[in-house]
Amino acid sequence: MGYGLIEEVDGKPKLMNLGVINLGKLKNHYIKLRKIFERTLYLIDQYHPDELAIESPFYGKNVQSMLKLGRAQGVAISAALSRDLPIFEYAPKKIKLAITGEGNASKEQVANILERILQISDMPSNLDATDGLAAAMCHFYQKELPHNGPSYSNWKDYLRKNPGRVI
């Protein structure tokens, strides 16, 4: 299970930490869930984030895998709730779209773009780490979008209403 922590510095995202919660050596599913809960609490207590962004469960071919993933996500959400953090969920396609501009991008494409955006010099080989970071970046980008701003019918209308905007 991957995680990524970013902070906003002068309106731009800055990497704080990213990595994975390694569960491979644990055989018992419930012990894995406890480890996820404990590690998530540790990260929250260490970095004091304001919010938690997480990938929403997605439907796969294997129902058992989906159930286990949903439980793992629920445990991470519970850890955040125990520290009164607001939770934001994003669909995998929305995350990929926010990072790459393509909802069907590969994990490698997402990692590549994150590496460039955040100037990561020591990128982890495990792409689960960048999955967690991608959720955080997606949330960062969502916060930048105007929620009740003006609407535009086309590019010409946008340019007319935003004459100082550089494109």
Side-chain angles (χ1 to χ4, degrees), residues 61-167:
K61 293 180 183 177
N62 186 329
V63 175
Q64 285 300 317
S65 294
M66 190 176 99
L67 178 62
K68 288 178 181 178
L69 176 63
R71 287 177 175 169
Q73 290 168 323
V75 167
I77 290 169
S78 294
L81 289 172
S82 77
R83 296 298 192 256
D84 295 321
L85 289 180
I87 312 297
F88 298 87
E89 287 188 69
Y90 298 99
K93 283 190 180 227
K94 182 169 186 126
I95 293 171
K96 291 175 181 180
L97 182 64
I99 305 303
T100 68
E102 171 58 50
N104 292 320
S106 69
K107 285 179 173 257
E108 292 80 10
Q109 289 171 313
V110 171
N112 225 341
I113 290 175
L114 289 172
E115 184 176 21
R116 286 184 292 169
I117 291 171
L118 296 169
Q119 300 172 349
I120 302 170
S121 57
D122 189 21
M123 195 66 146
S125 59
N126 188 326
L127 294 178
D128 289 335
T130 51
D131 283 352
L133 182 59
M137 285 296 295
C138 176
H139 183 60
F140 174 81
Y141 290 141
Q142 298 309 305
K143 292 175 72 165
E144 297 296 308
L145 295 175
H147 296 287
N148 293 323
S151 61
Y152 309 103
S153 57
N154 55 41
W155 277 109
K156 188 175 182 178
D157 184 40
Y158 174 83
L159 291 173
R160 185 175 52 75
K161 292 178 181 176
N162 296 280
R165 188 74 182 201
V166 176
I167 299 182

